Amino acid sequence: MRKKSKLQAAQLDGDADDIEAAFYDALQSGDIEKLMACWADEDDIFCIHPGGPRVIGATAIRATFESMFSEGGSVRAWPERVRKTVAIGSSVHNVLERVEVLSPGGPTNAWVIATNVYHRTAQGWRLVAHHASPGTTSEIQEVSDAPSILH
């Protein structure tokens, strides 16, 4: 019996967190097949890259990532400070992405706020929307109505 790869396990048995991990892993490795396997097989899926237009449908989304991968090989992005809203058939992840950018002085970090929306489909959990804000080199602060603790 052949052991399932991590991606196959995520596709068949995993949850939205597994698909998100596979998505960012595919970004970092520049693996277009693995990245597209994270997306739902639906006509209305969409992706908005930082400062870019709304890209609708798997073919158009694939083309944008292929272009990114051809220029730099991969996107060095890591999800940090994830906030999740989970329901029976959907999961919305608001993510602070740390993105490594090559500059004349060497690698530096930029920060992007992204929202990833996952739906439970017949194939398992899949990404249906990725919306990323324009990046900044300043660490992004969070504003919350959570009570402050005074000492």
Side-chain angles (χ1 to χ4, degrees):
M1 176 183 257
R2 201 173 85 156
K3 188 177 178 182
K4 290 181 187 176
S5 73
K6 180 165 176 60
L7 180 61
Q8 287 172 325
Q11 288 177 336
L12 300 174
D13 305 318
D15 58 15
D17 292 338
D18 294 324
I19 298 302
E20 187 156 84
F23 175 75
Y24 283 99
D25 184 58
L27 279 176
Q28 293 166 24
S29 63
D31 186 333
I32 192 68
E33 298 305 326
K34 187 175 180 182
L35 184 130
M36 291 310 298
C38 296
W39 287 90
D41 185 21
E42 297 175 11
D43 293 338
D44 292 337
I45 60 175
F46 70 89
C47 181
I48 302 171
H49 297 292
R54 181 169 53 181
V55 180
I56 302 169
T59 302
I61 291 170
R62 181 184 186 100
T64 64
F65 282 106
E66 283 177 335
S67 176
M68 277 189 245
F69 293 164
S70 70
E71 292 171 10
S74 66
V75 179
R76 310 257 316 141
W78 293 268
E80 297 186 0
R81 289 195 257 165
V82 179
R83 295 200 172 260
K84 302 174 191 173
T85 302
V86 181
I88 294 172
S90 67
S91 186
V92 178
H93 296 195
N94 186 254
V95 179
L96 177 62
E97 293 178 349
R98 180 174 49 86
V99 182
E100 186 178 277
V101 179
L102 294 179
S103 68
T108 187
N109 284 326
W111 302 92
V112 172
I113 296 174
T115 301
N116 299 318
V117 180
Y118 302 90
H119 286 178
R120 188 178 312 184
T121 71
Q123 293 77 38
W125 285 93
R126 290 291 187 276
L127 185 61
V128 296
H130 172 74
H131 184 178
S133 70
T136 178
T137 54
S138 302
E139 188 162 349
I140 294 173
Q141 299 300 312
E142 196 168 90
V143 178
S144 172
D145 62 358
S148 298
I149 299 173
L150 299 176
H151 292 278

